[in-house]
Amino acid sequence: MPARKTRKFGQPSPTRVPAELEVECAIQIRRIGDKLNFRQKLLNLITKLFRSGT
């Protein structure tokens, strides 16, 4: 059997993005999630108030 050939990589791996961008993105996603959670809780409360007859 012939020996295996080594792989040749076309481009080196890209450099790492600074962690600050990841932190900022995580903060924004958290804020969006908090807003959605608040809206859902408010909707549930309104629903309970109007459906209290059952």
Side-chain angles (χ1 to χ4, degrees):
M1 247 184 170
R4 292 181 129 193
K5 294 182 181 179
T6 59
R7 291 185 181 184
K8 293 182 181 178
F9 295 104
Q11 296 177 351
S13 61
T15 57
R16 182 90 169 110
V17 177
E20 294 174 9
L21 295 177
E22 293 174 359
V23 171
E24 184 64 30
C25 183
I27 290 171
Q28 290 179 4
I29 291 173
R30 177 66 186 256
R31 287 179 185 159
I32 292 169
D34 288 345
K35 287 180 184 177
L36 291 175
N37 188 29
F38 175 73
R39 287 180 185 173
Q40 188 63 45
K41 285 186 177 185
L42 184 62
L43 183 63
N44 289 343
L45 177 66
I46 292 170
T47 304
K48 281 184 181 179
L49 291 175
F50 285 108
R51 300 179 96 195
S52 62
T54 58

